[in-house]
Amino acid sequence: MREILPTLAGWHAAGIPFGLATVVAVSRSAPRGPGAAMAVGPDDEVVGSVSGGCVEGAVFELAQEVVASGEPSLRTFGYSDEDAFAVGLTCGGEITLLVRPVTVGSDPAFGAVAGSVAAGEPVTVATVVDGPAPRGATLAVWPDRTAGTLGTTGLDVAVTADARGELALGASVLRHYGPHGERREDAVTVFLQSFAPPPRMLVFGAIDYAAAVARIGDFLGYRVTVCDARPVFATPKRFPAAVEVVVDWPHRYLRGTATDDRTVICVLTHDPKFDVPLLEEALRRPAAYIGAMGSRRTHDERRARLAEAGLTEAELARLRSPLGLDLGARTPEEVAVSVAAEIVALRWGGSGAPLATTTGAIHASAVR
């Protein structure tokens, strides 16, 4: 959804109705997760994807139908469908989609939500999926305000509280309530889709490898910052336009920078006077990934210095060094792919092994 919001916001601002299909539930080896979206707008223009191609044709027709009728539709596609090979998921998974018409009248807060996502302001959108409440009704929830309604005051209050909780986690989930927000009932199904600010990638050491890692980090949706104490190397023209470049001592910059459980830290300084104090700081704070470049000998020496500095075995165990997966990478770009592969595998619980040698579901349950 995040990727197609600018286009949808343009349609909404121009008063153009469109059909929006959102994945609200998945099972088994579904190719896209909850929150994946596809929209059909003016002149049958299509943006986004809900299945990687398996059911898009059927969803296109559904989106046209809901715009014409003004009535949302809830549909499940899966391998067990009679028309599986026509519109189903031949990969064996199952996805449930809410397809709803979006107009200025039906969803007046859509533009405000899109604006918040573009500005990096956290917001959760709650949408009624099923039950004795208006299907497709939306409630936008920010940390300090709300817009819209799901039909009853009690339901709005209960969902607002849960939406803010999920927003803190950056999670998108289905929740169940009674018609007036009763917690112990499951008559009304609501999809909470959180748009947390993009996670941060902090790259230390403005070398050629850093430029490649920064590019792939930006491509993966991270807010990337490159930091180096040497102004001759830390120049914005060496990095993509979207990448922030900071001239400062790495450990000092990190000490003054907030991190969380989604933050990625890549230490490419390759110099003990930079990377030891930096890692001493990094390994004692929240982060999803902390990786450091260097040979195995460099890693052993660095680990010994960190132990001398007082880091515990549990803290040292968080360090991914040498960073990256074993792809046989040589060039900076290949090394960046190796690093990105390790980050993705750690995020989703992947093994890093070739899929041809593994068994079971390809798209496993999310780890984070």
Side-chain angles (χ1 to χ4, degrees):
M1 175 68 88
R2 188 186 296 272
E3 289 76 14
I4 66 175
L5 265 178
T7 298
L8 306 190
W11 292 345
H12 189 269
I16 300 171
F18 57 90
L20 177 61
T22 305
V23 178
V24 297
V26 302
S27 69
R28 301 192 301 279
S29 187
R32 302 296 303 274
M38 169 181 157
V40 179
D43 300 320
D44 293 337
E45 180 181 355
V46 177
V47 293
S49 172
V50 291
S51 73
C54 298
V55 303
E56 266 69 5
V59 175
F60 174 80
E61 295 178 358
L62 270 175
Q64 291 179 312
E65 291 172 9
V66 300
V67 170
S69 67
E71 296 295 328
S73 176
L74 186 67
R75 287 287 303 272
T76 297
F77 294 97
Y79 186 77
S80 60
D81 291 347
E82 292 181 1
D83 55 349
F85 288 96
V87 298
L89 295 171
T90 55
C91 59
E94 184 176 275
I95 59 173
T96 299
L97 303 174
L98 176 66
V99 188
R100 64 185 181 95
V102 178
T103 66
V104 174
S106 67
D107 199 345
F110 191 93
V113 169
S116 291
V117 173
E121 181 183 12
V123 59
T124 294
V125 178
T127 307
V128 174
V129 172
D130 204 6
R135 177 177 288 168
T138 60
L139 174 68
V141 180
W142 289 267
D144 59 350
R145 65 191 188 280
T146 65
T149 179
L150 303 182
T152 67
T153 300
L155 185 57
D156 288 348
V157 169
V159 170
T160 295
D162 288 345
R164 286 179 174 147
E166 299 301 339
L167 185 56
L169 300 173
S172 296
V173 298
L174 284 176
R175 287 292 186 95
H176 304 277
Y177 307 88
H180 298 281
E182 297 89 343
R183 299 272 180 187
R184 296 180 179 275
E185 298 184 26
D186 59 1
V188 180
T189 302
V190 178
F191 180 59
L192 304 180
Q193 184 170 13
S194 298
F195 296 95
R200 298 201 66 181
M201 173 182 280
L202 306 177
V203 181
F204 294 96
I207 60 177
D208 49 357
Y209 290 95
V213 170
R215 284 196 296 273
I216 204 165
D218 179 57
F219 175 75
L220 291 175
Y222 286 92
R223 175 189 162 200
V224 182
T225 298
V226 175
C227 175
D228 197 304
R230 303 164 295 182
V232 66
F233 295 113
T235 59
K237 66 180 181 181
R238 298 184 63 213
F239 299 93
V243 172
E244 177 187 29
V245 179
V246 173
V247 178
D248 199 353
W249 278 81
H251 72 282
R252 184 169 60 191
Y253 174 76
L254 183 58
R255 190 173 298 148
T257 301
T259 63
D260 58 28
D261 290 337
R262 301 186 301 152
T263 303
V264 165
I265 299 174
C266 297
V267 179
L268 312 180
T269 46
H270 215 340
D271 187 329
K273 71 174 178 288
F274 291 126
D275 59 21
V276 171
L278 170 59
L279 287 169
E280 188 177 350
E281 175 69 29
L283 292 169
R284 288 172 169 157
R285 59 166 53 231
Y289 174 91
I290 303 171
M293 176 176 279
S295 66
R296 299 193 189 281
R297 178 179 176 180
T298 297
H299 167 70
D300 292 339
E301 293 175 350
R302 183 167 48 210
R303 197 178 191 282
R305 293 185 182 187
L306 290 169
E308 290 174 4
L311 270 77
T312 67
E313 283 300 316
E315 290 168 337
L316 291 171
R318 301 179 63 204
L319 178 60
R320 300 271 175 159
S321 176
L323 82 176
L325 297 185
D326 180 13
L327 305 182
R330 294 290 186 273
T331 68
E333 290 74 20
E334 290 174 345
V335 170
V337 171
S338 163
V339 174
E342 184 176 37
I343 292 169
V344 172
L346 182 63
R347 179 183 183 187
W348 298 111
S351 67
L355 287 173
T357 67
T358 64
T359 59
I362 293 176
H363 305 283
S365 299
V367 171
R368 177 174 291 112

